[in-house]
Amino acid sequence: MFRVALILALVAGCGNGASTLTASPAALTDERAAHLDALFAADAAHAADVAQLGPVDGVIRAMRGNVVYLAAGVDVITGRREVKAAVEAANPDPANTSLSLTTAGGDVSADGNFGFTFGWLERAAAEGVTYGTYLAIWEREREDDFRITAYYTRSAPFPHIPPRAGFPLFLGGAGAGGVPHPGSVEGQRRSLSAADEAFSAQSVAEGTGIAFPAWANPDFMMAFGRNFVGLVGEAEIAGAYGVSVPGEVLQWAPVWASASGSGDLGVTVGKAIDTLTLADGSVTRTCSKYLTLWVRRADGSWRFIADGGSPSPAP
């Protein structure tokens, strides 16, 4: 959620690892294939808008009016107008700045009304070329009309590492693998927020080394920030997350959640404080924000499959 830099350092070597993928492919029915086609068509249109209209107008064009936005160095931003102001501040010379998107993967809910896409960014400006990542949460407003309801982006100094071959969330993979538990969208959102809060409570009570492996999807999960790192199986997940830092207390709270009515796929966005007490008694606090993707297991529990964060200014 917020330990992405550490996780990347620990598992960068497994980008094309040979560990056996344990997730079984989801049935690609004609209906599901149509939903996926519509989702990736929306993502492709977003990429085309960015290429044609530039790093400000192109980025916000597909966003809903109440979109939630996460970028490094700013707080969680809500509202299309407010997001545009933040994107303008990050691109002071948009006429001489180009931005391109390359899709890495994504998936759609069983009912076809909720999905996510993610990929890599390349930005060219007067000061040079930089790289980064994006993750977009999409919801249908009308038939075949996906709009962005949450957006995460983070810059990186170098191009992306190669994706892990066969990882379920990348293009051509098996997908998120959630099990439908239909209900009202509002009920799904409440359920997700409660799961995220319980996750945080366990982190505070028992440490991150216990809480993160306990709440991660045991088959696979993806850490993201400046890159996308796929972890497969409980051993890899525990190896990346399973050590608590002495004196650290990591606590967070969701501020926004959304999900499919089919109840198999959802997302939470929230704010966190990482408190570290050193041996000399001094205390440091680091503020951050996060976006976490969740799937429903057969027993009805939520487990996270993708998780990333970025720094926020102190309150």
Side-chain angles (χ1 to χ4, degrees):
M1 192 165 289
F2 328 97
R3 305 167 73 197
V4 173
L6 172 62
I7 294 162
L8 291 177
L10 288 171
V11 300
C14 77
N16 287 305
S19 298
T20 301
L21 294 166
T22 56
S24 57
L28 194 64
T29 62
D30 289 345
E31 184 178 19
R32 176 173 162 74
H35 292 328
L36 278 171
D37 286 347
L39 176 69
F40 284 118
D43 190 67
H46 173 57
D49 285 341
V50 170
Q52 180 179 1
L53 302 177
V56 177
D57 293 338
V59 167
I60 69 165
R61 184 171 185 179
M63 292 181 175
R64 298 176 67 177
N66 60 348
V67 65
V68 176
Y69 180 79
L70 296 83
V74 297
D75 205 346
V76 176
I77 297 172
T78 302
R80 194 169 185 266
R81 181 181 302 174
E82 291 75 9
V83 172
K84 182 176 182 181
V87 176
E88 286 174 336
N91 295 276
D93 188 16
N96 295 301
T97 302
S98 64
L99 184 66
S100 61
L101 281 65
T102 301
T103 306
D107 202 6
V108 70
S109 62
D111 62 9
N113 292 326
F114 179 95
F116 66 94
T117 57
F118 62 94
W120 301 287
L121 306 172
E122 183 172 327
R123 180 179 181 273
E127 61 271 23
V129 177
T130 55
Y131 305 90
T133 54
Y134 77 94
L135 189 149
I137 304 297
W138 301 82
E139 294 185 42
R140 283 190 197 263
E141 292 189 337
R142 296 178 296 277
E143 185 177 357
D144 296 325
D145 183 17
F146 277 104
R147 305 288 290 176
I148 294 173
T149 190
Y151 201 79
Y152 170 101
T153 184
R154 186 129 185 226
S155 62
F158 306 108
H160 65 83
I161 61 175
R164 184 170 187 163
F167 188 73
L169 300 185
F170 284 106
L171 291 173
V179 178
H181 285 72
S184 71
V185 171
E186 185 54 37
Q188 308 288 7
R189 290 170 177 165
R190 289 196 300 268
S191 176
L192 266 175
S193 293
D196 203 7
E197 290 166 356
F199 182 13
S200 175
Q202 186 171 10
S203 173
V204 172
E206 302 180 47
T208 57
I210 300 295
F212 275 72
W215 284 89
N217 175 45
D219 298 325
F220 66 88
M221 62 84 50
M222 181 178 74
F224 62 88
R226 299 178 187 272
N227 239 309
F228 302 105
V229 175
L231 304 172
V232 177
E234 292 178 293
E236 283 190 14
I237 293 169
Y241 285 100
V243 178
S244 297
V245 176
E248 180 187 38
V249 177
L250 185 57
Q251 183 173 16
W252 62 89
V255 298
W256 180 84
S258 192
S260 62
S262 50
D264 55 318
L265 192 62
V267 61
T268 54
V269 168
K271 300 179 183 182
I273 297 179
D274 191 355
T275 302
L276 182 61
T277 303
L278 302 178
D280 63 3
S282 60
V283 177
T284 62
R285 290 182 176 85
T286 304
C287 298
S288 62
K289 55 194 170 296
Y290 65 89
L291 186 151
T292 302
L293 281 165
W294 302 78
V295 294
R296 209 69 164 275
R297 305 282 289 177
D299 63 4
S301 64
W302 290 103
R303 292 293 181 264
F304 73 89
I305 55 164
D307 183 57
S310 65
S312 292

